[in-house]
Amino acid sequence: MALSMEMMRICVIGAGPSGMSMLYHLAKMEEQGKRIPDVVCYEKQSDCGGLWNFDWRTGVDEHGEPIHCSMYRHLWTNLPKECFEFPDYTFDQHFGKAIPSFPTREVILDYLNGRWKTVNAKKFVRLNTIVKNVIHNPDKDNFTVWARDQDDEKDLPPEQFSHIVVATGHYSFPNMPYFKGVETFPGRVLHSHDFRDAREFTGKRLLVIGSRYSAEDISLQCVKFGATNVVCSSRSGPMGLKWPAEIQERPLLERIEGQTVYFKDGTSTEVDVVIYCTGYKHTFNFLADNLRLQTENTIYPPNLYKGIIWVKAGNKRLMYIGMQDQYYTMTMFDVQSFWACRVILGEMILPENATMETDIARWIQRLENVTSFADAVDFQTEYVMDLCRESGYQHNLDVKYLFTDLDRNRKESMITCRDNVFKSKFTGTVSNKHTKPFMDAFDDSYDAFVN
Amino acid sequence: MALSMEMMRICVIGAGPSGMSMLYHLAKMEEQGKRIPDVVCYEKQSDCGGLWNFDWRTGVDEHGEPIHCSMYRHLWTNLPKECFEFPDYTFDQHFGKAIPSFPTREVILDYLNGRWKTVNAKKFVRLNTIVKNVIHNPDKDNFTVWARDQDDEKDLPPEQFSHIVVATGHYSFPNMPYFKGVETFPGRVLHSHDFRDAREFTGKRLLVIGSRYSAEDISLQCVKFGATNVVCSSRSGPMGLKWPAEIQERPLLERIEGQTVYFKDGTSTEVDVVIYCTGYKHTFNFLADNLRLQTENTIYPPNLYKGIIWVKAGNKRLMYIGMQDQYYTMTMFDVQSFWACRVILGEMILPENATMETDIARWIQRLENVTSFADAVDFQTEYVMDLCRESGYQHNLDVKYLFTDLDRNRKESMITCRDNVFKSKFTGTVSNKHTKPFMDAFDDSYDAFVN
């Protein structure tokens, strides 16, 4: 049943890049003269930006709620900015000049804020407000949301919504498997979620468990900032990347005895610190069980039509943005959001359940053939372009060729891969070189990077 | 209105020393032939014992819930065991021989388990189950509890209870105030809640913020395990204790700039690590606002009649155990629990509201005169003895004289104060000396301590 504008109320949960893209498009549609429904976005942090905010705290916040931040100092993006540039708000437009291709955290957050400001997208956001519970009411076919104002330390009255958009990210709740004997390790054991600054590990011997982006980047950062050496252990075998001499790869950890770590191949070594770069869990403790996406980190999670619409309950008015494993990032969230907004406004009609199920099954079946970085980029390019076409998104977001260049650069050398320049698809601008190579650039401030 | 046994259902939240004392007394009463009501205890950890369990994890657990553990390796109690010995289950009875006065974590947990086993108190406990929400229903004058089975990852059906006993402790949610510039500090910033092993800090220069037990003990542990030096900063001025040469005291921290920390007196120093020993917050995110105890850490929290009965809502059937700042510990929880059990069973009748309010006010007014350790012990001794008398607890728990000895030992030297022996009030047994002085004893295992 189509809802009238009066019957619609949208609750967006989370004001990171995904949630803010929802708000951006709604605000933009409003600016363009469309009527939009009532919208509220609850954000537990004290500012918008999601993971792009830095928090010196780890563990829980002042209110006893899990810290969202997995961000650390000296982070440069691991994708060239040309891979996630917004076609309707380019880096040229924001900075007024060419800047390097691998920006630091503050620079990215500044860029995001710039785009949000163009339509005042933050006006819908209620900061320092945590969502505690969401249920679907089958009788009224709507949702009840319980939220809490953390400033006032008071529960808000429960509110009803026609639509829920879950945009809380999936890089905040550590996946931290047990290894035999880890409880006997005398040094620090941490997850990348709690990693804040590589300088904590200067002069230390590290064990890094994992083989994906966090493992790569944290290993490299630690060597850059003076770790004695890093042993990377992973289930999936060597990453096949060229590392500095201080980084060695080993098979999966088998057990720990005091400071000695043993690997599956029978070798062992002594380390001072164990860093789990074992990824994150999709955790939605604020959702009723029948609304919870349960998935591994995959480029096509189950039970989401077009990667967005929850098909199991809630009459297709529960949506998820940005829950995929990501190659495309900001631009993917953006076209997902645009697609979702058009569906909410009734400008696009969802097919029958059976058709949706078939569509999901078709995509998931194709996952079997995805075995390389290039395959995954191909898959996600197709997914993004499918959303572009369906929603009538005004721009072609395909930047597969940039990922190909990135892949080659990474294989040439992890040490130098961030020193390359890329050309913007939308402005033709070639980024300029950073004044220093990545491994020699120790200042990650906005000023050092942009000015 | 008195409830019949059939109308009663008791929900105990938390199976640490406080919650287990509730279950111990209920089980004991049952054994003695009394009829007891239906009881369930929800515990989020995988075993009973509360803070006496060690967890190698910090931050959040596998389910995204805050880690309860604030326990660290090599912890010896900071009270002689004679200060918290159960008269009905003495250390002699448990160990069959004299042991030293300041046991390590495993030894204490073993002792607690021994007592619980005598009446099979664990039979009421549902482990790996987290309480998500508790409300009071004014119409039925009962409580609804929503819990979640973390093993099955499923919400349990909401259940109704006549009584709620909150025994979740108050040393799990960090109080971590902001100091100017802390976000620029390049080293690790942690709260004592996340401190797991002093050996992480060997060779480091530490700033410890705080002046109470965590600050004392963590400073001492770190020096014991090779920290280069420790600067203790506190609002309340020097602790007035004799420290090893590696520990210096300074006034409150004023600001941080990179690795340099500045104090209120204008002095500064460079440090590698900042450890907040700034205490904990009473955090009850699972309770409705009108049921939440809101308090600083004090020996007489507001709105709790006899330190137990929540007088603000819930018709005096919401109880809190162990929410006081603690001198007496296990024995205080025990007499509180016994008192609460007798009230629940209708064997003791609560006075009118006005009388309860007056009683609370009288105790809180007397807090004004509590300015020293000795005053606080006096106050809490009186409180404990008041509960003993009222409830008809079978033993006299007054061990004020032991606290006096402890205070003297501490003032003589923090380094040696744990090397003293104490005499059990209940058995007359004098504890034996540990084979090594505290500062030279590096093995905290059960075997090293007991055998």
Side-chain angles (χ1 to χ4, degrees):
Chain A
M1 184 188 75
L3 295 178
S4 71
M5 196 62 74
E6 289 69 29
M7 293 167 74
M8 280 199 239
R9 283 198 77 203
I10 306 172
C11 174
V12 177
I13 308 176
S18 294
M20 289 306 291
S21 265
M22 281 298 301
L23 305 183
Y24 173 84
H25 285 294
L26 288 166
K28 199 166 174 180
M29 287 168 173
E30 191 181 28
E31 236 184 42
Q32 290 164 349
K34 281 192 190 174
R35 265 189 78 199
I36 64 160
D38 190 23
V39 184
V40 61
C41 172
Y42 296 116
E43 168 54 50
K44 85 173 187 182
Q45 298 191 99
S46 58
D47 204 354
C48 303
L51 285 183
W52 296 94
N53 290 310
F54 177 81
D55 194 335
W56 59 276
R57 294 172 195 267
T58 56
V60 296
D61 67 16
E62 310 92 297
H63 312 289
E65 296 293 339
I67 291 281
H68 188 73
C69 177
S70 298
M71 182 57 67
Y72 43 89
R73 290 200 196 88
H74 311 295
L75 177 134
W76 297 28
T77 61
N78 61 357
L79 291 180
K81 69 185 195 305
E82 290 75 14
C83 280
F84 55 83
E85 182 173 29
F86 295 112
D88 67 352
Y89 190 76
T90 63
F91 284 97
D92 277 10
Q93 183 178 342
H94 183 74
F95 291 102
K97 62 179 178 184
I99 64 164
S101 271
F102 293 86
T104 57
R105 182 191 69 80
E106 279 186 51
V107 177
I108 297 295
L109 189 54
D110 191 69
Y111 171 63
L112 290 170
N113 268 302
R115 182 168 185 251
W116 301 334
K117 226 173 262 173
T118 61
V119 293
N120 192 17
K122 285 189 179 182
K123 68 185 172 190
F124 301 119
V125 182
R126 185 158 180 166
L127 296 171
N128 296 317
T129 305
I130 190 160
V131 171
K132 294 180 64 181
N133 196 18
V134 180
I135 61 165
H136 178 243
N137 307 304
D139 51 338
K140 300 185 193 158
D141 199 14
N142 68 0
F143 302 90
T144 304
V145 173
W146 287 263
R148 183 174 181 82
D149 183 323
Q150 299 285 37
D151 284 333
D152 286 354
E153 299 192 339
K154 283 275 172 288
D155 286 341
L156 299 173
E159 296 212 37
Q160 307 215 327
F161 293 94
S162 59
H163 293 78
I164 303 286
V165 180
V166 180
T168 52
H170 55 97
Y171 297 132
S172 281
F173 290 95
N175 174 47
M176 211 172 174
Y178 174 76
F179 287 95
K180 196 180 157 196
V182 63
E183 70 281 5
T184 70
F185 188 74
R188 186 169 176 205
V189 178
L190 73 155
H191 188 275
S192 54
H193 176 56
D194 292 340
F195 184 87
R196 288 290 179 271
D197 197 318
R199 290 172 292 180
E200 290 179 38
F201 306 104
T202 303
K204 296 280 189 190
R205 298 164 299 174
L206 314 181
L207 171 66
V208 167
I209 309 171
S211 62
R212 292 205 62 200
Y213 298 130
S214 297
E216 272 176 33
D217 198 50
I218 285 175
S219 298
L220 206 57
Q221 293 277 359
C222 287
V223 168
K224 177 173 168 177
F225 285 92
T228 306
N229 73 299
V230 180
V231 175
C232 290
S233 157
S234 81
R235 197 171 42 195
S236 50
M239 297 182 235
L241 298 168
K242 287 201 189 101
W243 293 111
E246 294 88 348
I247 300 180
Q248 296 98 39
E249 297 196 51
R250 295 277 182 105
L252 187 62
L253 182 65
E254 194 251 325
R255 71 183 195 281
I256 298 178
E257 283 177 26
Q259 274 197 274
T260 309
V261 295
Y262 294 86
F263 303 97
K264 290 284 184 195
D265 63 356
T267 63
S268 66
T269 191
E270 274 207 359
V271 297
D272 304 307
V273 179
V274 175
I275 308 183
Y276 275 76
C277 295
T278 39
Y280 292 89
K281 288 183 173 175
H282 284 67
T283 298
F284 307 100
N285 287 349
F286 55 93
L287 293 179
D289 282 325
N290 64 342
L291 305 179
R292 274 190 207 196
L293 173 63
Q294 291 186 306
T295 181
E296 307 280 298
N297 193 22
T298 162
I299 45 176
Y300 218 91
N303 301 317
L304 293 181
Y305 174 62
K306 298 288 173 184
I308 297 169
I309 304 282
W310 180 245
V311 296
K312 301 299 269 185
N315 207 12
K316 322 301 175 282
R317 296 198 186 106
L318 169 63
M319 302 177 179
Y320 284 88
I321 305 290
M323 290 302 155
Q324 296 70 15
D325 190 10
Q326 294 151 17
Y327 296 84
Y328 287 77
T329 55
M330 311 291 187
T331 49
M332 180 173 74
F333 311 150
D334 206 60
V335 67
Q336 288 179 325
S337 297
F338 185 69
W339 189 97
C341 286
R342 295 210 64 192
V343 169
I344 291 171
L345 294 185
E347 298 177 353
M348 283 167 56
I349 305 300
L350 295 176
E352 294 300 304
N353 282 2
T355 313
M356 292 199 270
E357 298 277 7
T358 309
D359 190 76
I360 294 171
R362 190 178 59 85
W363 283 99
I364 286 179
Q365 206 217 317
R366 286 184 48 197
L367 276 179
E368 283 170 26
N369 305 321
V370 175
T371 58
S372 67
F373 177 87
D375 291 344
V377 171
D378 277 356
F379 185 102
Q380 198 156 74
T381 302
E382 243 181 89
Y383 166 67
V384 164
M385 290 307 295
D386 183 50
L387 292 180
C388 284
R389 271 189 305 271
E390 279 211 2
S391 65
Y393 193 81
Q394 284 198 317
H395 305 270
N396 175 339
L397 293 173
D398 180 348
V399 288
K400 196 160 73 177
Y401 65 102
L402 294 177
F403 283 101
T404 307
D405 292 347
L406 172 70
D407 196 25
R408 195 183 51 246
N409 294 338
R410 283 164 48 88
K411 283 177 180 152
E412 277 164 17
S413 164
M414 284 305 292
I415 303 171
T416 60
C417 73
R418 284 192 180 90
D419 302 329
N420 293 288
V421 296
F422 286 76
K423 184 174 163 182
S424 164
K425 170 166 180 162
F426 306 114
T427 61
T429 301
V430 176
S431 65
N432 65 3
K433 277 213 173 263
H434 192 286
T435 50
K436 289 179 183 164
F438 170 70
M439 289 299 279
D440 299 330
F442 296 104
D443 183 348
D444 67 339
S445 68
Y446 179 93
D447 271 355
F449 196 86
V450 174
N451 300 328
Chain B
M1 185 190 73
L3 295 179
S4 69
M5 195 62 73
E6 289 68 30
M7 293 167 73
M8 281 200 238
R9 285 197 77 203
I10 307 172
C11 174
V12 177
I13 308 176
S18 294
M20 289 306 292
S21 264
M22 282 298 300
L23 304 183
Y24 173 83
H25 286 295
L26 287 167
K28 200 167 172 179
M29 287 168 173
E30 192 180 27
E31 237 184 42
Q32 291 164 349
K34 281 192 191 175
R35 263 190 81 198
I36 64 161
D38 190 23
V39 184
V40 62
C41 172
Y42 296 116
E43 168 53 52
K44 84 173 186 182
Q45 297 191 100
S46 58
D47 204 353
C48 302
L51 285 183
W52 295 95
N53 290 309
F54 177 81
D55 195 336
W56 58 277
R57 294 172 194 266
T58 57
V60 295
D61 67 16
E62 310 91 296
H63 312 289
E65 295 294 338
I67 290 282
H68 188 73
C69 177
S70 299
M71 181 56 69
Y72 42 89
R73 289 200 196 90
H74 310 296
L75 177 133
W76 298 28
T77 62
N78 61 355
L79 292 179
K81 69 185 194 303
E82 290 74 15
C83 281
F84 54 84
E85 182 173 29
F86 296 112
D88 67 352
Y89 189 77
T90 63
F91 284 97
D92 277 9
Q93 183 178 343
H94 183 74
F95 291 103
K97 63 179 176 186
I99 64 163
S101 271
F102 293 86
T104 55
R105 182 191 69 80
E106 278 184 53
V107 177
I108 297 295
L109 189 54
D110 191 69
Y111 171 63
L112 291 170
N113 268 302
R115 184 170 185 251
W116 301 334
K117 225 173 263 176
T118 61
V119 293
N120 192 17
K122 286 189 179 181
K123 70 184 170 189
F124 303 118
V125 182
R126 185 159 179 163
L127 296 171
N128 296 318
T129 306
I130 190 159
V131 171
K132 294 180 65 181
N133 196 20
V134 180
I135 61 166
H136 178 243
N137 307 303
D139 51 338
K140 300 185 192 158
D141 198 15
N142 67 1
F143 301 91
T144 304
V145 173
W146 286 263
R148 183 174 181 81
D149 183 323
Q150 299 284 38
D151 283 333
D152 287 353
E153 299 192 339
K154 283 274 172 289
D155 286 341
L156 300 173
E159 295 213 36
Q160 307 215 327
F161 293 93
S162 59
H163 293 78
I164 304 286
V165 180
V166 180
T168 51
H170 55 96
Y171 298 132
S172 281
F173 289 95
N175 174 46
M176 213 173 172
Y178 175 76
F179 288 95
K180 196 181 158 192
V182 63
E183 71 280 4
T184 70
F185 187 74
R188 187 170 176 204
V189 178
L190 73 156
H191 188 276
S192 54
H193 175 56
D194 292 339
F195 184 87
R196 289 289 179 271
D197 197 317
R199 290 172 291 180
E200 290 179 36
F201 306 104
T202 303
K204 297 280 188 189
R205 300 165 299 174
L206 313 181
L207 171 66
V208 167
I209 309 171
S211 63
R212 293 204 61 201
Y213 297 131
S214 297
E216 272 176 34
D217 198 51
I218 285 175
S219 298
L220 206 56
Q221 293 277 359
C222 287
V223 168
K224 178 172 168 178
F225 285 92
T228 307
N229 73 299
V230 179
V231 176
C232 289
S233 157
S234 81
R235 197 170 45 194
S236 49
M239 298 181 234
L241 298 169
K242 286 200 190 98
W243 292 112
E246 294 87 348
I247 300 179
Q248 297 99 38
E249 296 197 50
R250 297 277 181 104
L252 188 61
L253 182 65
E254 195 251 326
R255 71 183 195 282
I256 298 178
E257 284 178 23
Q259 274 196 275
T260 310
V261 295
Y262 294 87
F263 303 98
K264 290 283 184 196
D265 63 357
T267 63
S268 67
T269 190
E270 274 207 357
V271 297
D272 303 307
V273 179
V274 175
I275 307 184
Y276 276 75
C277 295
T278 40
Y280 292 89
K281 289 184 171 173
H282 284 67
T283 299
F284 307 101
N285 287 349
F286 55 93
L287 293 178
D289 282 323
N290 64 341
L291 305 179
R292 274 188 208 198
L293 173 64
Q294 291 185 306
T295 182
E296 307 281 298
N297 193 24
T298 162
I299 46 176
Y300 218 90
N303 301 316
L304 293 181
Y305 174 63
K306 298 290 175 182
I308 297 170
I309 304 281
W310 180 244
V311 296
K312 300 300 268 185
N315 206 13
K316 322 303 175 279
R317 296 198 187 108
L318 169 64
M319 304 177 178
Y320 284 88
I321 305 291
M323 290 302 156
Q324 297 70 16
D325 191 8
Q326 294 151 16
Y327 296 85
Y328 287 77
T329 54
M330 310 291 185
T331 49
M332 179 173 75
F333 311 149
D334 204 60
V335 68
Q336 288 179 325
S337 297
F338 185 69
W339 188 98
C341 286
R342 295 210 64 191
V343 169
I344 291 171
L345 294 185
E347 299 176 354
M348 285 167 55
I349 305 299
L350 296 177
E352 295 300 304
N353 282 2
T355 312
M356 292 198 269
E357 299 275 6
T358 310
D359 190 76
I360 294 170
R362 188 179 61 84
W363 282 99
I364 287 179
Q365 204 216 318
R366 287 184 46 197
L367 275 180
E368 284 169 25
N369 305 320
V370 175
T371 58
S372 67
F373 177 88
D375 291 345
V377 170
D378 276 358
F379 184 102
Q380 199 156 73
T381 302
E382 242 182 88
Y383 165 68
V384 164
M385 290 306 295
D386 182 48
L387 292 180
C388 284
R389 271 188 307 272
E390 277 211 5
S391 64
Y393 193 82
Q394 286 197 317
H395 306 270
N396 175 337
L397 294 173
D398 181 347
V399 287
K400 195 159 73 176
Y401 63 104
L402 294 176
F403 283 102
T404 308
D405 291 348
L406 172 69
D407 195 24
R408 194 183 54 245
N409 294 339
R410 282 165 50 89
K411 282 175 180 151
E412 277 164 18
S413 164
M414 283 305 291
I415 302 171
T416 61
C417 74
R418 284 194 180 89
D419 302 330
N420 292 288
V421 297
F422 287 76
K423 183 175 162 182
S424 165
K425 171 167 180 163
F426 307 114
T427 61
T429 302
V430 177
S431 65
N432 63 3
K433 277 213 173 264
H434 193 285
T435 50
K436 289 180 183 164
F438 170 70
M439 289 299 278
D440 300 328
F442 296 104
D443 183 348
D444 67 338
S445 68
Y446 179 93
D447 270 355
F449 196 88
V450 174
N451 300 329

